[in-house]
Amino acid sequence: EADIYQTPRYLVIGTGKKITLECSQTMGHDKMYWYQQDPGMELHLIHYSYGVNSTEKGDLSSESTVSRIRTEHFPLTLESARPSHTSQYLCASSDSDREFHYGYTFGSGTRLTVV
Amino acid sequence: DQQVKQNSPSLSVQEGRISILNCDYTNSMFDYFLWYKKYPAEGPTFLISISSIKDKNEDGRFTVFLNKSAKHLSLHIVPSQPGDSAVYFCAPIDVSARQLTFGSGTQLTVLP
């Protein structure tokens, strides 16, 4: 039973389009993250948030932007999609008090293909 | 600069036998070590963790061993089952940065 939801699961979109990947969690976690993963590669952190109105860029440079207006919602936006943005995008959340023992909870991911 | 290395991209094991997945790290600030399992087209799911003050943690068929002096940890799965076939990621936490760092993963295939 998923407590963190990502939509859409799959998206094929044309170059230059604006897209928003949705991520919501019902666990009341204070922290949320976006990771990008290409097949057979590591997960790379592209954005994170430690609370409402707090967002930071991760280790991997990304042209995407995020917002955290509500605790449970952490959408990711690409203003102008390019083929180089084709990847899997994974959203995660964590509870500051438990993350050392239980880590992050991940959503099912969005597989984005830009043609 | 890879702080977490999983040098075996793939591993095949017969059902019922032991699977051993290895992970090496370089960052001495890592204080907790987590293992995640990932099926295709799904997000990673948490498996087991170990604190740096321990050298072993067990949960059912899964045991994680930590050798801090060698900066090495391993995940043992006994007995292995076909449903264990997935990609396994080692993910240490730097307590000061409070962020997970993921290895590149090992694809485990358990043959029936």
Side-chain angles (χ1 to χ4, degrees):
Chain A
E1 185 177 327
D3 296 311
I4 181 164
Y5 305 91
Q6 287 187 245
T7 57
R9 287 293 305 272
Y10 302 93
L11 178 62
V12 180
I13 201 161
T15 298
K17 299 289 186 184
K18 177 180 178 179
I19 58 171
T20 296
L21 308 184
E22 299 288 347
C23 177
S24 294
Q25 51 100 2
T26 59
M27 297 169 285
H29 286 173
D30 52 335
K31 295 182 177 179
M32 295 189 75
Y33 311 84
W34 277 102
Y35 284 84
Q36 185 175 341
Q37 188 196 20
D38 293 321
M41 305 296 287
E42 306 99 282
L43 280 71
H44 289 287
L45 180 66
I46 51 175
H47 296 284
Y48 61 97
S49 167
Y50 285 175
V52 171
N53 294 325
S54 150
T55 62
E56 301 286 346
K57 288 190 179 292
D59 302 325
L60 183 68
S61 174
S62 173
E63 293 162 349
S64 58
T65 59
V66 292
S67 63
R68 188 96 181 273
I69 298 171
R70 302 197 313 268
T71 299
E72 63 272 20
H73 194 214
F74 192 41
L76 181 145
T77 299
L78 274 165
E79 290 293 332
S80 179
R82 294 210 300 269
S84 61
H85 297 139
T86 295
S87 188
Q88 184 179 37
Y89 293 83
L90 292 158
C91 180
S93 68
S94 69
D95 179 339
S96 296
D97 295 331
R98 294 159 56 89
E99 62 188 0
F100 293 148
H101 293 286
Y102 300 106
Y104 304 168
T105 302
F106 281 85
S108 298
T110 294
R111 169 71 63 187
L112 173 66
T113 303
V114 183
V115 298
Chain B
D1 177 24
Q2 260 189 307
Q3 297 185 68
V4 183
K5 289 185 182 178
Q6 293 179 255
N7 291 319
S8 298
S10 63
L11 173 69
S12 290
V13 171
Q14 209 66 39
E15 182 179 3
R17 307 294 291 267
I18 184 171
S19 295
I20 300 176
L21 298 108
N22 294 304
C23 177
D24 296 292
Y25 63 95
T26 57
N27 189 344
S28 302
M29 298 300 292
F30 289 146
D31 249 27
Y32 284 81
F33 302 85
L34 288 74
W35 283 93
Y36 278 82
K37 177 168 76 171
K38 185 179 185 296
Y39 293 117
E42 292 185 18
T45 54
F46 170 76
L47 254 184
I48 190 169
S49 66
I50 187 168
S51 160
S52 60
I53 63 173
K54 293 187 174 181
D55 54 20
K56 178 183 174 182
N57 189 26
E58 199 170 346
D59 183 2
R61 297 185 297 113
F62 302 92
T63 303
V64 57
F65 296 91
L66 174 62
N67 183 335
K68 248 195 126 175
S69 60
K71 293 191 173 70
H72 175 85
L73 66 156
S74 61
L75 174 68
H76 293 211
I77 306 173
V78 181
S80 301
Q81 300 172 353
D84 296 329
S85 297
V87 177
Y88 289 79
F89 290 96
C90 169
I93 291 184
D94 177 339
V95 175
S96 58
R98 297 184 75 98
Q99 286 181 4
L100 286 177
T101 300
F102 284 85
S104 53
T106 296
Q107 170 69 58
L108 172 67
T109 302
V110 180
L111 305 167

